Amino acid sequence: QVRLVESGGGSVQAGGSLRLSCKASGSVVWMAWFRQFPGQERRGVAAITPGATITQYDDSVEGRFTISRDDATNTIYLQMSRLEPEDTGAYYCAGGGYRLQQGGYPYWGQGTQVTVSS
């Protein structure tokens, strides 16, 4: 019913910035970003409500990453600043869940790779 498509991933030097985008084809409520490091389970990054009235960040990114939302286009963004090699991984967009409770998100994007070089 809902399709999510991420874009904006790539390779950047440590200390640099990237902005990820995710557009949903259908109506969703909460939307979020998750990421997966090689050999590890998927982890929450940031989540946002309709109208961006509430946001939630994982401690590992708070102060460096900013999530935003355009409800008119059902698009969320993740502005990533001061990137570190430890941020390298596959980033996934999710919709229709609650906060960073990934088990409750029914809609997921295909993922986009972020690589940060030292």
Side-chain angles (χ1 to χ4, degrees):
Q1 183 177 11
V2 175
R3 189 181 70 167
L4 305 175
V5 180
E6 305 101 330
S7 62
S11 181
V12 66
Q13 292 288 113
S17 300
L18 285 173
R19 188 171 104 156
L20 306 183
S21 300
C22 173
K23 180 174 291 186
S25 62
S27 179
V28 294
V29 186
W30 280 83
M31 294 183 70
W33 290 99
F34 294 82
R35 63 184 179 180
Q36 186 171 22
F37 304 135
Q40 300 186 26
E41 297 180 349
R42 192 165 54 205
R43 306 165 68 98
V45 177
I48 190 167
T49 58
T53 55
I54 302 174
T55 57
Q56 180 184 1
Y57 295 92
D58 184 76
D59 289 343
S60 65
V61 305
E62 189 157 13
R64 298 188 299 120
F65 292 9
T66 301
I67 188 171
S68 59
R69 181 170 186 163
D70 183 347
D71 288 330
T73 60
N74 281 329
T75 302
I76 62 167
Y77 306 91
L78 186 67
Q79 178 66 49
M80 304 182 292
S81 300
R82 304 196 306 278
L83 284 162
E84 305 167 353
E86 292 75 17
D87 295 315
T88 295
Y91 285 68
Y92 297 89
C93 179
Y98 180 70
R99 292 187 178 270
L100 287 175
Q101 299 173 4
Q102 63 179 307
Y105 277 90
Y107 308 114
W108 292 85
Q110 294 289 93
T112 185
Q113 179 69 31
V114 172
T115 302
V116 184
S117 301
S118 299

